[in-house]
Amino acid sequence: EAAVTQSPRNKVAVTGGKVTLSCNQTNNHNNMYWYRQDTGHGLRLIHYSYGAGSTEKGDIPDGYKASRPSQENFSLILELATPSQTSVYFCASGDWDRSSGNTLYFGEGSRLIVV
Amino acid sequence: GDSVTQKQGQVTLSEDDFLFINCTYSTTTYPTLFWYVQYPGQGPQLLLKVTTANNKGISRGFEATYDKGTTSFHLQKASVQESDSAVYFCALGMSNYNVLYFGSGTKLTVEP
């Protein structure tokens, strides 16, 4: 069964509206991540978290907020959605290993269209 | 800063062809280098990782190594199948960091 689940899987939002993307993991990993995927850009890191109550900015945090209320849940919040935020968003979980850094396990993605 | 570059955006091969995808990286620390594969409609999944330069990672018929001298790492497979059609991402991770930096991806299409 899927260890990282995202909801909603598909969402159409209006410009200026609020969007919340949710992620739940059953891997018991400390770290969770939000990436967006756009053609030609690969996967770009938006926010990540080391554990409940922590959020950190990634490479492209502008226009996004994150919330980690528990070990299992990590949300990405678009307070004022814009068409440039139309993308596929991936949540991932992982744990740091001394010898090899971090291996990430991804959800199946949330496709967001902002009109 | 730390970064990874993946220049081959698309590769089209025929079944049983040899696959070679290359990435270059930049970091001041000792990296672990990853290859992730993404099938249509799915999230990326780990294909293999290489923790030490000149060591080889092997999984599902794919091999990867990295060369510290040229700061490059590559993915290869001797004989691709149609089922290997997917997007392949290289990624850079450091032992003292919790973040992975991904390349822009290579879309592999294998024709029957």
Side-chain angles (χ1 to χ4, degrees), chain A residues 99, chain B residues 25 27 29-33 49-57 64-74:
Chain A
S99 63
Chain B
Y25 68 91
T27 181
T29 62
Y30 297 99
T32 293
L33 296 160
K49 63 182 177 183
V50 183
T51 58
T52 308
N54 300 323
N55 278 5
K56 190 179 287 188
T65 55
Y66 82 85
D67 184 330
K68 235 169 90 169
T70 59
T71 63
S72 65
F73 63 117
H74 67 266

Side-chain angles (χ1 to χ4, degrees), chain A residues 9 31 33 35 37 40-43 45 48 50 59 90 96-104 106-108, chain B residues 32 34 36 38 41-46 49 51 87 89 94-105:
Chain A
R9 294 292 313 279
N31 303 327
Y33 306 80
Y35 287 87
Q37 182 177 20
H41 290 281
L43 294 159
L45 183 64
Y48 60 104
Y50 292 124
D59 297 324
F90 286 97
W96 182 80
D97 174 83
R98 176 184 290 275
S99 63
S100 64
N102 212 340
T103 297
L104 301 189
F106 285 85
E108 297 205 329
Chain B
T32 293
F34 300 80
Y36 279 77
Q38 183 180 30
Q42 298 182 22
Q45 56 184 271
L46 179 67
K49 63 182 177 183
T51 58
V87 179
F89 293 96
M94 279 68 71
S95 60
N96 58 340
Y97 279 117
N98 286 285
V99 172
L100 288 190
Y101 296 94
F102 284 85
S104 54

Side-chain angles (χ1 to χ4, degrees), chain A residues 26-112:
Chain A
T26 58
N27 295 319
N28 199 32
H29 288 153
N30 288 319
N31 303 327
M32 295 186 74
Y33 306 80
W34 278 106
Y35 287 87
R36 62 178 283 177
Q37 182 177 20
D38 304 286
T39 304
H41 290 281
L43 294 159
R44 292 183 290 174
L45 183 64
I46 306 170
H47 284 288
Y48 60 104
S49 167
Y50 292 124
S54 96
T55 60
E56 305 288 335
K57 293 180 180 179
D59 297 324
I60 53 164
D62 293 344
Y64 302 94
K65 288 171 56 177
S67 173
R68 181 88 181 270
S70 65
Q71 176 85 341
E72 297 80 18
N73 295 295
F74 190 38
S75 296
L76 185 69
I77 303 152
L78 292 66
E79 295 277 6
L80 294 168
T82 68
S84 65
Q85 294 175 313
T86 293
S87 187
V88 181
Y89 292 85
F90 286 97
C91 176
S93 73
D95 257 345
W96 182 80
D97 174 83
R98 176 184 290 275
S99 63
S100 64
N102 212 340
T103 297
L104 301 189
Y105 299 86
F106 285 85
E108 297 205 329
S110 295
R111 182 177 297 275
L112 172 65

Side-chain angles (χ1 to χ4, degrees), chain B residues 7-94:
Chain B
K7 290 188 176 177
Q8 296 161 279
Q10 292 199 70
V11 172
T12 301
L13 298 172
S14 300
E15 279 198 323
D16 297 324
D17 279 352
F18 173 72
L19 171 69
F20 184 90
I21 303 173
N22 193 58
C23 283
T24 57
Y25 68 91
S26 173
T27 181
T28 57
T29 62
Y30 297 99
T32 293
L33 296 160
F34 300 80
W35 285 99
Y36 279 77
V37 59
Q38 183 180 30
Y39 299 103
Q42 298 182 22
Q45 56 184 271
L46 179 67
L47 179 58
L48 46 77
K49 63 182 177 183
V50 183
T51 58
T52 308
N54 300 323
N55 278 5
K56 190 179 287 188
I58 299 174
S59 175
R60 306 186 227 170
F62 291 88
E63 294 183 7
T65 55
Y66 82 85
D67 184 330
K68 235 169 90 169
T70 59
T71 63
S72 65
F73 63 117
H74 67 266
L75 178 71
Q76 65 182 60
K77 188 177 185 185
S79 176
V80 293
Q81 303 302 305
E82 199 174 348
S83 58
D84 294 324
S85 296
V87 179
Y88 294 82
F89 293 96
C90 54
L92 171 71
M94 279 68 71

